[in-house]
Amino acid sequence: MASGSGRTKPTVALAMGDPAGISPELTARLLALEEVRAAAHLIVVGDRRVLDEGACIAKVALDVEPVAAEEPLPAAPARPLFVDLGHLDPASIARGKISPSGGRFAKENFLSALALAKTGAAHAVAFTPFNKGAMRLAQPDYDDEISFTAKAIGFAGEAREFNVLDGLWNARVTSHVPLSAVAGLLSAPLIVKGLELTHAAMSAAGFSPPRIGVAALNPHAGDNGNFGREEIDIIEPAVREAKARGIACDGPYPADTVFVRARAGQFDGVLTMFHDQGQIAMKLIGFEAGVTLLGGFPMPIATPAHGTAYDIAGRGLATVGASRNAVLLAARMGAEMAARSVQPVPRTSLADARRALDLEPVPKAA
């Protein structure tokens, strides 16, 4: 089915995140946005009681089509579908507090959304914010969304986290590691792989070709070796190799100026060497609107770049901008995948999709 713009209208599986934070009200606000409803067929996974409470907090009216987990998902529904797993009574958790039950709620919703995408019932996945502490209480070996997703769908390839804001992308070579370990982890092949993944993800989002600026590691890009040799020995050779492979990239540029260049239009994206090198810049540019994309997986996965905001949960103060941007990015990338696909969307149920990933049924909560 084509959208009004002539593009294929994708299906996005939207998982409700941590129920003790702002995720319920953000999910409700998303479902009330005509722009979001027009961009994609939505399949929302959660508990209707949690969603209703979120709608009450957000002061929005819900218009969703309920569908049971065992019921085949209708093709091209006129309104968003809501699969009620019935697995959490919101009265059983304390707002603004991490809990194992809150983590299990978010985990099962996310697994369900991944199952829908893995089996072809959805083209993309989005989710409202998780709390990593709650996720670890629910699953002690939980590290981050990338490793969790890879294990859940049996993915052995390379995936990375990207931050997206106002058309500007940020990727990083190393991520959740101690700062003291970064220099020792850097290598030319790792940087080239980061550039390849960034090029592929941005191309899938419509850049042709994406122009990527590469950040230096050391102050003043090492100052010709006076402040470190990583630029000379590792980063510059990686940039040359990536260029030889047809990637439009340049650098390394000092980390305190590369984002200035990008904001001025010289680059569409920036590859940084470590987590906060890019995160600080992106969040200063626009904390309330940024998106985190998990790129490299068979399906795009997007979420707002901010967290669960326990401090304002339940007060109706949460702004929907980043969540809106996340779903719209997932829809845009999902539309590209749908347009390339020769296979029709299967008429499966959520229960069948979960069984395909060897996931157990979700226990109901009183």
Side-chain angles (χ1 to χ4, degrees):
M1 177 178 177
S3 68
S5 64
R7 293 163 58 92
T8 302
K9 188 170 182 177
T11 297
V12 175
L14 174 60
M16 295 185 69
D18 190 284
I22 60 174
S23 285
E25 56 198 277
L26 289 178
T27 306
R29 290 186 193 277
L30 284 170
L31 290 171
L33 290 177
E34 182 57 37
E35 183 182 12
V36 168
R37 295 162 68 101
H41 301 299
L42 296 175
I43 306 173
V44 187
V45 184
D47 187 298
R48 184 59 192 260
R49 295 167 293 183
V50 179
L51 180 64
D52 285 344
E53 184 174 87
C56 183
I57 294 167
K59 295 182 173 59
V60 296
L62 295 174
D63 181 22
V64 297
E65 181 176 338
V67 57
E70 296 285 351
E71 183 181 351
L73 298 165
R79 54 186 180 153
L81 303 177
F82 188 84
V83 186
D84 185 1
L85 296 180
H87 54 327
L88 183 74
D89 178 356
S92 69
I93 62 166
R95 188 172 289 146
K97 304 289 185 182
I98 67 170
S99 69
S101 57
R104 283 192 296 271
F105 175 85
K107 181 184 81 166
E108 295 300 342
N109 296 340
F110 188 44
L111 285 172
S112 296
L114 291 174
L116 289 170
K118 175 68 173 177
T119 56
H123 302 104
V125 170
F127 60 93
T128 48
F130 298 161
N131 180 281
K132 285 183 171 60
M135 296 289 277
R136 290 189 182 102
L137 289 177
Q139 183 170 318
D141 65 351
Y142 178 87
D143 184 20
D144 57 25
E145 287 82 359
I146 289 181
S147 60
F148 181 87
T149 298
K151 182 177 180 180
I153 66 174
F155 180 74
E158 291 278 351
R160 297 286 174 90
E161 188 174 289
F162 301 89
N163 291 104
V164 183
L165 176 66
D166 293 338
L168 175 62
W169 286 52
N170 170 227
R172 49 190 182 257
V173 179
T174 66
S175 189
H176 298 126
V177 299
L179 186 57
S180 60
V182 169
L185 291 172
L186 293 180
S187 69
L190 190 66
I191 295 169
V192 171
K193 175 58 69 175
L195 285 165
E196 288 179 330
L197 288 170
T198 304
H199 174 85
M202 295 185 70
S203 296
F207 292 90
S208 182
R211 300 165 300 158
I212 306 166
V214 180
L217 173 68
N218 296 301
H220 303 292
D223 188 37
N224 296 313
N226 291 318
F227 303 149
R229 292 193 55 85
E230 284 82 5
E231 287 74 20
I232 297 170
D233 297 336
I234 300 173
I235 304 176
E236 288 178 3
V239 171
R240 288 196 299 270
E241 174 63 22
K243 284 182 176 179
R245 298 186 186 191
I247 296 172
C249 60
D250 203 5
Y253 293 101
D256 59 357
T257 63
V258 68
F259 280 93
V260 176
R261 292 173 180 267
R263 290 283 283 175
Q266 186 172 342
F267 302 116
D268 305 304
V270 176
L271 179 71
T272 52
M273 296 299 112
F274 58 91
H275 185 279
D276 284 4
Q277 197 178 40
Q279 288 283 80
I280 292 171
M282 294 293 282
K283 291 188 176 182
L284 279 172
I285 291 169
F287 182 76
E288 297 295 336
V291 173
T292 296
L293 174 77
L294 308 186
F297 289 115
M299 71 292 287
I301 305 170
T303 187
H306 60 70
T308 49
Y310 279 168
D311 56 325
I312 63 169
R315 298 168 59 189
L317 301 177
T319 57
V320 76
S323 295
R324 165 196 169 275
N325 293 343
V327 176
L328 292 180
L329 177 61
R332 186 165 69 249
M333 297 182 72
E336 296 290 338
M337 296 185 66
R340 294 194 302 267
S341 176
V342 297
Q343 300 295 328
V345 176
R347 293 292 307 281
T348 189
S349 68
L350 176 59
D352 285 339
R354 286 182 62 94
R355 282 189 282 267
L357 260 64
D358 294 323
L359 299 174
E360 296 291 331
V362 180
K364 298 285 186 179

Short mmCIF file of all heavy atoms in Angstrom, two decimals, residues 175-213:
data_model
loop_
_atom_site.label_atom_id
_atom_site.label_comp_id
_atom_site.label_asym_id
_atom_site.label_seq_id
_atom_site.Cartn_x
_atom_site.Cartn_y
_atom_site.Cartn_z
N SER A 175 31.99 2.59 22.12
CA SER A 175 30.76 3.07 22.75
C SER A 175 30.80 2.93 24.27
O SER A 175 31.40 3.76 24.94
CB SER A 175 29.55 2.32 22.17
OG SER A 175 28.34 2.89 22.61
N HIS A 176 30.19 1.89 24.81
CA HIS A 176 30.07 1.78 26.26
C HIS A 176 31.29 1.07 26.86
O HIS A 176 31.24 -0.07 27.31
CB HIS A 176 28.77 1.04 26.62
CG HIS A 176 27.55 1.78 26.16
ND1 HIS A 176 26.58 1.22 25.36
CD2 HIS A 176 27.17 3.06 26.35
CE1 HIS A 176 25.64 2.12 25.10
NE2 HIS A 176 25.98 3.24 25.70
N VAL A 177 32.41 1.80 26.84
CA VAL A 177 33.67 1.31 27.40
C VAL A 177 34.29 2.43 28.22
O VAL A 177 33.98 3.61 28.01
CB VAL A 177 34.65 0.86 26.29
CG1 VAL A 177 34.06 -0.28 25.47
CG2 VAL A 177 35.02 2.02 25.38
N PRO A 178 35.17 2.10 29.18
CA PRO A 178 35.84 3.16 29.95
C PRO A 178 36.66 4.06 29.02
O PRO A 178 37.27 3.60 28.05
CB PRO A 178 36.75 2.39 30.91
CG PRO A 178 36.18 1.02 30.98
CD PRO A 178 35.56 0.76 29.64
N LEU A 179 36.69 5.34 29.35
CA LEU A 179 37.46 6.28 28.55
C LEU A 179 38.94 5.88 28.51
O LEU A 179 39.62 6.06 27.49
CB LEU A 179 37.31 7.70 29.12
CG LEU A 179 37.94 8.84 28.33
CD1 LEU A 179 37.39 8.88 26.91
CD2 LEU A 179 37.70 10.15 29.05
N SER A 180 39.43 5.31 29.60
CA SER A 180 40.84 4.91 29.65
C SER A 180 41.17 3.80 28.65
O SER A 180 42.33 3.59 28.32
CB SER A 180 41.19 4.42 31.07
OG SER A 180 40.38 3.31 31.44
N ALA A 181 40.16 3.10 28.15
CA ALA A 181 40.40 2.00 27.22
C ALA A 181 40.30 2.41 25.75
O ALA A 181 40.66 1.63 24.87
CB ALA A 181 39.40 0.87 27.49
N VAL A 182 39.81 3.62 25.48
CA VAL A 182 39.48 3.99 24.10
C VAL A 182 40.68 3.93 23.18
O VAL A 182 40.63 3.31 22.10
CB VAL A 182 38.84 5.39 24.06
CG1 VAL A 182 38.73 5.90 22.62
CG2 VAL A 182 37.47 5.36 24.71
N ALA A 183 41.80 4.57 23.55
CA ALA A 183 42.95 4.63 22.65
C ALA A 183 43.45 3.24 22.29
O ALA A 183 43.81 2.97 21.13
CB ALA A 183 44.06 5.47 23.27
N GLY A 184 43.45 2.35 23.25
CA GLY A 184 43.93 0.99 23.00
C GLY A 184 42.99 0.17 22.12
O GLY A 184 43.42 -0.81 21.51
N LEU A 185 41.73 0.57 22.06
CA LEU A 185 40.77 -0.17 21.25
C LEU A 185 40.75 0.28 19.80
O LEU A 185 40.29 -0.46 18.92
CB LEU A 185 39.37 -0.02 21.84
CG LEU A 185 39.11 -0.70 23.18
CD1 LEU A 185 37.75 -0.29 23.74
CD2 LEU A 185 39.19 -2.22 23.03
N LEU A 186 41.21 1.49 19.53
CA LEU A 186 41.13 2.02 18.18
C LEU A 186 42.07 1.29 17.23
O LEU A 186 43.21 0.98 17.56
CB LEU A 186 41.48 3.50 18.16
CG LEU A 186 40.51 4.46 18.84
CD1 LEU A 186 41.02 5.89 18.72
CD2 LEU A 186 39.10 4.34 18.26
N SER A 187 41.58 1.03 16.04
CA SER A 187 42.39 0.45 14.97
C SER A 187 41.83 0.94 13.64
O SER A 187 40.66 1.32 13.54
CB SER A 187 42.36 -1.07 15.00
OG SER A 187 41.07 -1.56 14.65
N ALA A 188 42.66 0.94 12.62
CA ALA A 188 42.19 1.38 11.30
C ALA A 188 41.04 0.50 10.79
O ALA A 188 40.04 1.04 10.29
CB ALA A 188 43.35 1.38 10.31
N PRO A 189 41.12 -0.84 10.90
CA PRO A 189 39.98 -1.65 10.44
C PRO A 189 38.69 -1.34 11.19
O PRO A 189 37.61 -1.36 10.59
CB PRO A 189 40.45 -3.09 10.70
CG PRO A 189 41.94 -3.02 10.66
CD PRO A 189 42.27 -1.68 11.26
N LEU A 190 38.77 -1.06 12.48
CA LEU A 190 37.57 -0.75 13.25
C LEU A 190 36.96 0.57 12.79
O LEU A 190 35.73 0.70 12.69
CB LEU A 190 37.92 -0.68 14.74
CG LEU A 190 36.72 -0.59 15.71
CD1 LEU A 190 35.89 -1.87 15.65
CD2 LEU A 190 37.22 -0.35 17.14
N ILE A 191 37.79 1.54 12.50
CA ILE A 191 37.29 2.84 12.03
C ILE A 191 36.68 2.69 10.63
O ILE A 191 35.62 3.25 10.33
CB ILE A 191 38.40 3.89 12.05
CG1 ILE A 191 38.83 4.16 13.50
CG2 ILE A 191 37.95 5.19 11.38
CD1 ILE A 191 40.10 4.98 13.63
N VAL A 192 37.34 1.93 9.77
CA VAL A 192 36.79 1.69 8.43
C VAL A 192 35.43 1.01 8.53
O VAL A 192 34.48 1.38 7.83
CB VAL A 192 37.76 0.85 7.58
CG1 VAL A 192 37.09 0.41 6.27
CG2 VAL A 192 39.03 1.63 7.28
N LYS A 193 35.33 0.02 9.41
CA LYS A 193 34.04 -0.65 9.60
C LYS A 193 32.99 0.34 10.09
O LYS A 193 31.83 0.31 9.63
CB LYS A 193 34.19 -1.80 10.60
CG LYS A 193 32.88 -2.49 10.96
CD LYS A 193 32.17 -3.06 9.74
CE LYS A 193 32.91 -4.23 9.15
NZ LYS A 193 32.14 -4.85 8.03
N GLY A 194 33.36 1.24 10.99
CA GLY A 194 32.42 2.26 11.45
C GLY A 194 31.96 3.16 10.32
O GLY A 194 30.78 3.51 10.22
N LEU A 195 32.88 3.52 9.43
CA LEU A 195 32.51 4.36 8.29
C LEU A 195 31.62 3.60 7.32
O LEU A 195 30.67 4.16 6.75
CB LEU A 195 33.78 4.86 7.59
CG LEU A 195 34.51 5.98 8.33
CD1 LEU A 195 35.92 6.18 7.77
CD2 LEU A 195 33.73 7.29 8.25
N GLU A 196 31.89 2.33 7.11
CA GLU A 196 31.05 1.52 6.22
C GLU A 196 29.63 1.40 6.76
O GLU A 196 28.65 1.54 6.02
CB GLU A 196 31.66 0.14 6.03
CG GLU A 196 32.92 0.13 5.17
CD GLU A 196 33.52 -1.25 5.04
OE1 GLU A 196 33.38 -2.07 5.97
OE2 GLU A 196 34.15 -1.52 3.99
N LEU A 197 29.51 1.14 8.06
CA LEU A 197 28.18 1.01 8.66
C LEU A 197 27.44 2.34 8.63
O LEU A 197 26.23 2.38 8.39
CB LEU A 197 28.30 0.50 10.09
CG LEU A 197 28.70 -0.97 10.25
CD1 LEU A 197 29.02 -1.27 11.70
CD2 LEU A 197 27.59 -1.89 9.76
N THR A 198 28.16 3.42 8.88
CA THR A 198 27.53 4.74 8.83
C THR A 198 27.06 5.06 7.42
O THR A 198 25.94 5.55 7.21
CB THR A 198 28.50 5.81 9.32
OG1 THR A 198 28.97 5.47 10.64
CG2 THR A 198 27.85 7.19 9.36
N HIS A 199 27.90 4.78 6.45
CA HIS A 199 27.53 5.01 5.05
C HIS A 199 26.29 4.20 4.68
O HIS A 199 25.35 4.72 4.06
CB HIS A 199 28.70 4.61 4.14
CG HIS A 199 28.38 4.66 2.68
ND1 HIS A 199 28.45 5.81 1.93
CD2 HIS A 199 27.96 3.67 1.83
CE1 HIS A 199 28.11 5.54 0.69
NE2 HIS A 199 27.79 4.26 0.59
N ALA A 200 26.25 2.93 5.09
CA ALA A 200 25.11 2.07 4.75
C ALA A 200 23.83 2.54 5.42
O ALA A 200 22.77 2.61 4.78
CB ALA A 200 25.42 0.62 5.15
N ALA A 201 23.91 2.89 6.72
CA ALA A 201 22.71 3.31 7.44
C ALA A 201 22.18 4.63 6.90
O ALA A 201 20.96 4.80 6.72
CB ALA A 201 23.00 3.43 8.94
N MET A 202 23.07 5.57 6.63
CA MET A 202 22.62 6.86 6.13
C MET A 202 22.09 6.75 4.69
O MET A 202 21.15 7.45 4.31
CB MET A 202 23.76 7.88 6.22
CG MET A 202 24.18 8.19 7.65
SD MET A 202 25.43 9.50 7.77
CE MET A 202 24.45 10.94 7.29
N SER A 203 22.69 5.87 3.91
CA SER A 203 22.18 5.64 2.57
C SER A 203 20.77 5.07 2.62
O SER A 203 19.89 5.46 1.84
CB SER A 203 23.11 4.70 1.80
OG SER A 203 24.39 5.28 1.61
N ALA A 204 20.53 4.15 3.57
CA ALA A 204 19.19 3.57 3.73
C ALA A 204 18.18 4.61 4.17
O ALA A 204 16.97 4.45 3.92
CB ALA A 204 19.24 2.43 4.75
N ALA A 205 18.67 5.69 4.80
CA ALA A 205 17.78 6.77 5.22
C ALA A 205 17.59 7.84 4.16
O ALA A 205 16.90 8.83 4.39
CB ALA A 205 18.30 7.40 6.51
N GLY A 206 18.23 7.65 2.99
CA GLY A 206 17.97 8.56 1.89
C GLY A 206 19.11 9.48 1.48
O GLY A 206 18.97 10.25 0.53
N PHE A 207 20.26 9.44 2.18
CA PHE A 207 21.40 10.27 1.78
C PHE A 207 22.10 9.64 0.58
O PHE A 207 22.34 8.43 0.57
CB PHE A 207 22.40 10.41 2.94
CG PHE A 207 21.89 11.21 4.10
CD1 PHE A 207 21.21 10.59 5.14
CD2 PHE A 207 22.08 12.58 4.15
CE1 PHE A 207 20.75 11.32 6.21
CE2 PHE A 207 21.62 13.31 5.23
CZ PHE A 207 20.95 12.69 6.26
N SER A 208 22.47 10.46 -0.41
CA SER A 208 23.07 9.90 -1.62
C SER A 208 24.09 10.87 -2.23
O SER A 208 23.74 11.74 -3.03
CB SER A 208 21.97 9.60 -2.65
OG SER A 208 22.51 9.01 -3.81
N PRO A 209 25.38 10.68 -1.88
CA PRO A 209 25.88 9.82 -0.82
C PRO A 209 25.97 10.62 0.47
O PRO A 209 26.02 11.86 0.45
CB PRO A 209 27.29 9.48 -1.31
CG PRO A 209 27.73 10.73 -2.02
CD PRO A 209 26.49 11.29 -2.66
N PRO A 210 26.00 9.96 1.63
CA PRO A 210 26.22 10.70 2.87
C PRO A 210 27.65 11.21 2.96
O PRO A 210 28.59 10.49 2.62
CB PRO A 210 25.94 9.65 3.95
CG PRO A 210 26.17 8.33 3.28
CD PRO A 210 25.80 8.52 1.85
N ARG A 211 27.80 12.43 3.42
CA ARG A 211 29.13 13.03 3.61
C ARG A 211 29.46 12.94 5.10
O ARG A 211 28.74 13.47 5.93
CB ARG A 211 29.13 14.48 3.15
CG ARG A 211 28.76 14.67 1.67
CD ARG A 211 28.43 16.12 1.39
NE ARG A 211 27.31 16.57 2.21
CZ ARG A 211 27.07 17.85 2.51
NH1 ARG A 211 27.87 18.80 2.09
NH2 ARG A 211 26.03 18.17 3.26
N ILE A 212 30.57 12.27 5.40
CA ILE A 212 30.90 11.95 6.79
C ILE A 212 32.20 12.62 7.20
O ILE A 212 33.24 12.44 6.56
CB ILE A 212 31.03 10.42 6.98
CG1 ILE A 212 29.77 9.71 6.48
CG2 ILE A 212 31.29 10.09 8.45
CD1 ILE A 212 29.94 8.22 6.32
N GLY A 213 32.14 13.41 8.27
CA GLY A 213 33.34 13.98 8.87
C GLY A 213 33.84 13.06 9.97
O GLY A 213 33.06 12.49 10.71
#
